[in-house]
Amino acid sequence: MSKMMPLEQAVRENLKDGDIVAFEGFTHLIPHAAGHEVIRQGFKDLTLIRMTPDVIYDQMIGMGMAKKVIFSYAGNPGVGLLRRMRDAIENGYPRTIETVEHSHAAMANAYEAGAAGLPCAVFRGYKGADLPKVNPDIKSVTCPFTGEELAAIPAHRPDVTFIHAQKANEKGDVLIEGIVGVQKEAALAAKRVVVTVEEVVPDFEGLHPNLTVLPHWTVTAIAVVKGGAHPSYTHGYYARDNAAYLEWDKVSADRELFSKWMDENVLKATPEVFAERVKGL
């Protein structure tokens, strides 16, 4: 059975209410189109994992879809706050959410542990930090070889991981160029992996083999969505839409304006809209 399918089908067949789900991409390749499809399908009670929650998680939280967020840094990149996330935390609007905060290093190690099938990640970290005082998931263990005290946290094991990439080949291998964050680890840690791509090509002939971040057997479904990372950028295809991030700061600051924007730009939109949004970037 082909892994290639429309995004609507890929989301519907691989995500369900109450799932633990990761949307990963660092600086670029953030899977906004996939997140918008999840919003359109109206999933509930999701546990959202992301190293750097930004606009897409602000939108999902604002739509009342999240019950818990596991993260390191949360913010509108280069602009400021995640106002919908803050409203949920401070005022319980549109619902209360549980937050579990970690460091970047902890998040990366937790994905790597999940990818390795381990129950926890062990690493050097949190020395002199206050996070262990407010996050009971942060424990310490003693190295049996050196006696050194190390940090330990639960492994990330998402039910579904969504990522965006430049290319897939017809066999279903996935290629990423430019900055690679934790996409590979987040995918290998998950039970199911959905990838949106800018294009599908016959093969990767002439490209460096190390760009093939995920072989086909690690991927559940692939959907072609041109512009699928907008307003973040996709290296080699389109630039970051800085104006969209500035606009979001204003939109997200007002509950009614947020609802109107989401209705017009997400609920009534289609994946094809993303291709139009990146023209001229």
Side-chain angles (χ1 to χ4, degrees):
M1 183 178 297
S2 175
K3 298 177 186 291
M4 309 295 174
M5 62 186 69
L7 180 57
E8 182 277 334
Q9 179 185 354
V11 170
R12 174 169 42 83
E13 292 184 354
N14 289 287
L15 187 64
K16 64 179 185 297
D17 290 344
D19 270 355
I20 301 170
V21 56
F23 292 77
E24 280 298 348
F26 193 77
T27 304
H28 75 144
L29 299 176
I30 299 170
H32 284 269
H36 285 185
E37 183 58 40
V38 169
I39 292 170
R40 282 191 290 272
Q41 295 191 25
F43 290 95
K44 301 176 182 178
D45 296 326
L46 300 176
T47 293
L48 302 177
I49 306 178
R50 180 163 163 72
M51 180 176 283
T52 54
D54 50 14
V55 169
I56 190 59
Y57 274 22
D58 211 28
Q59 293 171 354
M60 298 174 78
I61 291 167
M63 295 298 287
M65 303 174 67
K67 68 176 181 181
K68 182 177 181 179
V69 184
I70 303 172
F71 68 104
S72 46
Y73 164 85
N76 182 346
V79 180
L81 303 172
L82 290 183
R83 300 185 185 275
R84 292 299 89 221
M85 184 175 181
R86 182 167 183 169
D87 203 6
I89 293 170
E90 294 184 348
N91 305 309
Y93 183 88
R95 61 171 292 178
T96 59
I97 59 171
E98 179 185 352
T99 58
V100 179
E101 186 176 359
H102 283 292
S103 66
H104 278 355
M107 292 290 289
N109 276 279
Y111 277 128
E112 189 168 14
L118 297 172
C120 68
V122 178
F123 59 101
R124 289 189 178 94
Y126 295 122
K127 298 291 186 181
D130 286 334
L131 271 178
K133 297 177 182 178
V134 296
N135 183 350
D137 283 344
I138 299 171
K139 308 291 186 183
S140 62
V141 295
T142 301
C143 175
F145 303 104
T146 66
E148 181 182 3
E149 185 178 282
L150 301 169
I153 64 168
H156 290 336
R157 298 301 302 271
D159 294 301
V160 191
T161 287
F162 290 90
I163 66 169
H164 187 69
Q166 280 95 344
K167 296 180 179 71
N169 63 21
E170 293 175 348
K171 189 167 62 174
D173 302 317
V174 173
L175 176 147
I176 291 179
E177 297 175 283
I179 297 172
V180 177
V182 293
Q183 291 99 311
K184 178 181 72 173
E185 291 80 6
L188 295 178
K191 298 174 184 175
R192 299 176 295 280
V193 179
V194 176
V195 183
T196 55
V197 295
E198 295 293 327
E199 61 178 323
V200 174
V201 296
D203 55 53
F204 296 151
E205 184 178 356
L207 297 173
H208 195 287
N210 286 354
L211 297 174
T212 304
V213 172
L214 294 172
H216 63 276
W217 50 268
T218 66
V219 177
T220 310
I222 297 172
V224 177
V225 185
K226 294 184 178 181
H230 180 270
S232 73
Y233 73 98
T234 293
H235 176 78
Y237 287 79
Y238 46 88
R240 185 179 191 268
D241 188 349
N242 292 316
Y245 286 96
L246 291 169
E247 178 192 14
W248 184 252
D249 189 54
K250 298 176 182 178
V251 168
S252 61
D254 182 270
R255 293 175 181 177
E256 291 186 7
L257 187 58
F258 164 77
S259 295
K260 181 180 179 181
W261 192 95
M262 293 297 292
D263 184 59
E264 294 176 353
N265 293 277
V266 178
L267 298 179
K268 294 179 180 177
T270 63
E272 289 71 28
V273 170
F274 278 81
E276 293 297 318
R277 289 175 179 169
V278 301
K279 288 182 178 179
L281 290 177

